[in-house]
Amino acid sequence: MKLPEKTVERLSVYRRTLLECLTKGKTHIYSHELARLHNITAVQVRRDLMLIGYSSMKKKGYDAHELVDVIGKLIDHKNGLNVAVIGMGNLGRAVTTYFTGKRPKLNIVATFDVDPNKTNRVISSVNCYHIKDIKDLIKTKKISIAIITSPPETTAIIAETLVAAGIKGILNFTTTPINVPESVFLEEFDMITSIEKVAYFVKDQVKS
Amino acid sequence: MKLPEKTVERLSVYRRTLLECLTKGKTHIYSHELARLHNITAVQVRRDLMLIGYSSMKKKGYDAHELVDVIGKLIDHKNGLNVAVIGMGNLGRAVTTYFTGKRPKLNIVATFDVDPNKTNRVISSVNCYHIKDIKDLIKTKKISIAIITSPPETTAIIAETLVAAGIKGILNFTTTPINVPESVFLEEFDMITSIEKVAYFVKDQVKS
């Protein structure tokens, strides 16, 4: 039985915080501390951890190392998953750089573009291939997730190609929403809409 | 009375689609067409438009031009809002490039960094200043929204500085969640958590 999306998001964020605590030498953390760091309630934290079967809180708080492992066993794939980034403009490079080395169970194994100045090169420490080879490389490199950071007018055709090639999950960073079969997990983030939303909620505080 | 966040997001996306229709010469659109393009129901579209007081659908469908105007009057600030991007690494440059010129009522008027190779330069067509000048520039350039794309360890201090300088809205793209007063509208997007979420939902389909 899969966890709710919001719970998975929070677990991912808790894990990152716990790893930071550990690098600073903090080995234990209380639910209220974890809550405060994430602007949520201690009740929510405890509920999330109970949902994943972790409710051990000793006098010193949760054992950070143990909790990182429990979360990892739950949200990561045992052997890791391979990821591709499609579109190596500024955004694609930013995503690839942001990612590389950050999560051991997620590897960006290839990037794709059409620009001859980018293809057959190493960009942000990852090989960049021509998009025409994407079907083969998805199979040979066992790529299960693709991040689309290409120009909006290319999004639809790229999504089609990915789905036909057997991609299991897509993170769409373009401003073009896409349609995929139910068997493909889709996450979309639209930067322009996000900023327009912020603008809508602040505009009344700004004099004309 | 403010609209729900999800409605504002959808209106922003509808508007973009309507503008694309207009560039392709399509002047009218039915609710079911708009719905299909966004993977939602026609009922949702009609409900959103009724919420903003627009329910006129003639035989030919909604008048795209008119609807773009109605949405604009609702979600945009009359004279536009000024935006700053903090942190001009790959992600900051990607955001600045993505944005510039796309939305007439939102202007990236300044970017900030600490790297002497970037400050006092024009990057992605916008002036880049040193972060030490941010308080003054927020006032003089009437910046109401900031997009944080700086390294995660700098996020907290940058957020504090922005709030103290009178920023009204923040879009946080770093992996560090921040805490702001209720008077500041905060939108956060965490790239690593998004991809971990996709990975969680696809991992069972991938053999170990």
Side-chain angles (χ1 to χ4, degrees):
Chain A
M1 166 106 187
K2 284 296 191 185
L3 294 169
E5 285 190 33
K6 289 286 173 195
T7 310
V8 178
E9 287 176 25
R10 284 191 300 271
L11 290 171
S12 157
V13 175
Y14 296 158
R15 170 166 60 177
R16 205 160 37 249
T17 300
L18 292 165
L19 286 168
E20 274 167 41
C21 288
L22 287 167
T23 59
K24 294 179 187 155
K26 185 174 166 65
T27 57
H28 287 76
I29 188 166
Y30 294 103
S31 57
H32 67 261
E33 286 181 288
L34 202 48
R36 196 176 3 103
L37 287 165
H38 299 124
N39 312 322
I40 56 180
T41 61
V43 170
Q44 178 72 79
V45 171
R46 289 197 292 268
R47 194 179 290 156
D48 286 340
L49 298 189
M50 272 195 297
L51 203 59
I52 66 172
Y54 190 81
S55 56
S56 139
M57 187 155 88
K58 304 182 178 67
K59 265 181 122 171
K60 292 195 285 179
Y62 297 120
D63 179 324
H65 204 100
E66 189 177 68
L67 191 44
V68 162
D69 279 351
V70 168
I71 293 175
K73 281 196 173 69
L74 199 85
I75 71 177
D76 296 335
H77 183 277
K78 203 169 75 124
N79 300 336
L81 293 179
N82 291 340
V83 183
V85 179
I86 326 289
M88 287 303 273
N90 279 327
L91 188 56
R93 282 199 301 275
V95 170
T96 307
T97 310
Y98 224 71
F99 230 88
T100 304
K102 284 210 170 61
R103 296 258 30 95
K105 300 285 189 173
L106 285 170
N107 306 298
I108 297 189
V109 297
T111 66
F112 294 86
D113 206 282
V114 296
D115 182 344
N117 290 319
K118 296 178 187 158
T119 54
N120 301 318
R121 291 230 146 99
V122 174
I123 307 180
S124 304
S125 311
V126 180
N127 285 342
C128 184
Y129 303 91
H130 195 286
I131 192 105
K132 61 176 175 56
D133 298 323
I134 196 166
K135 263 191 162 176
D136 289 336
L137 285 154
I138 281 179
K139 288 182 166 57
T140 55
K141 288 190 175 289
K142 299 186 175 25
I143 295 168
S144 42
I145 299 173
I147 302 176
I148 310 180
T149 48
S150 58
E153 59 274 13
T154 62
T155 312
I157 189 76
I158 286 171
E160 262 185 58
T161 310
L162 289 168
V163 170
I167 208 75
K168 307 277 189 281
I170 293 176
L171 178 45
N172 175 19
F173 274 137
T174 77
T175 52
T176 307
I178 56 178
N179 224 338
V180 297
E182 275 201 35
S183 56
V184 177
F185 187 85
L186 175 65
E187 175 81 349
E188 301 196 289
F189 175 67
D190 184 333
M191 204 181 295
I192 308 256
T193 284
S194 280
I195 194 72
E196 288 194 330
K197 186 166 89 174
V198 178
Y200 171 75
F201 285 99
V202 313
K203 70 183 180 119
D204 295 340
Q205 301 182 56
V206 181
K207 296 195 199 73
S208 282
Chain B
M1 166 100 189
K2 285 295 189 183
L3 295 168
E5 286 190 34
K6 289 287 174 191
T7 309
V8 179
E9 288 175 25
R10 285 191 299 271
L11 290 171
S12 157
V13 176
Y14 297 159
R15 169 164 60 178
R16 202 157 43 243
T17 301
L18 292 165
L19 286 168
E20 275 167 39
C21 289
L22 287 167
T23 59
K24 293 178 190 159
K26 185 174 164 65
T27 57
H28 288 77
I29 188 166
Y30 295 103
S31 58
H32 67 260
E33 286 181 287
L34 202 46
R36 195 174 8 100
L37 287 166
H38 299 124
N39 311 322
I40 55 179
T41 62
V43 169
Q44 179 72 79
V45 172
R46 289 196 292 267
R47 194 179 291 156
D48 286 339
L49 298 188
M50 271 195 297
L51 203 57
I52 68 172
Y54 190 82
S55 56
S56 140
M57 187 157 87
K58 303 180 180 66
K59 265 181 122 173
K60 290 195 287 181
Y62 297 119
D63 179 325
H65 204 100
E66 190 177 67
L67 190 43
V68 162
D69 279 352
V70 168
I71 293 175
K73 282 194 172 69
L74 198 85
I75 72 176
D76 295 335
H77 183 278
K78 204 169 76 122
N79 300 337
L81 293 179
N82 291 340
V83 182
V85 178
I86 326 290
M88 286 304 272
N90 280 327
L91 188 56
R93 283 199 301 274
V95 170
T96 307
T97 310
Y98 224 71
F99 230 89
T100 306
K102 282 208 169 64
R103 297 255 33 91
K105 301 284 189 176
L106 285 170
N107 306 297
I108 297 190
V109 297
T111 65
F112 294 85
D113 206 283
V114 296
D115 181 346
N117 291 320
K118 296 175 186 163
T119 56
N120 302 317
R121 293 227 143 102
V122 174
I123 308 180
S124 304
S125 312
V126 181
N127 285 340
C128 183
Y129 303 92
H130 194 285
I131 193 104
K132 63 176 174 55
D133 298 324
I134 196 166
K135 263 191 163 177
D136 288 337
L137 285 155
I138 281 179
K139 288 182 169 52
T140 56
K141 287 189 175 287
K142 299 185 174 30
I143 295 168
S144 41
I145 299 173
I147 303 176
I148 309 179
T149 48
S150 57
E153 59 275 13
T154 63
T155 310
I157 190 76
I158 285 172
E160 261 185 59
T161 309
L162 289 168
V163 170
I167 208 77
K168 307 277 189 282
I170 293 176
L171 177 45
N172 175 18
F173 275 137
T174 76
T175 51
T176 308
I178 56 178
N179 225 337
V180 297
E182 275 201 36
S183 56
V184 177
F185 187 86
L186 175 64
E187 175 82 348
E188 301 196 289
F189 175 67
D190 184 333
M191 203 180 295
I192 308 260
T193 286
S194 281
I195 194 71
E196 289 196 328
K197 187 165 89 173
V198 178
Y200 171 76
F201 284 99
V202 312
K203 70 183 180 119
D204 296 339
Q205 300 181 56
V206 182
K207 295 194 199 73
S208 283

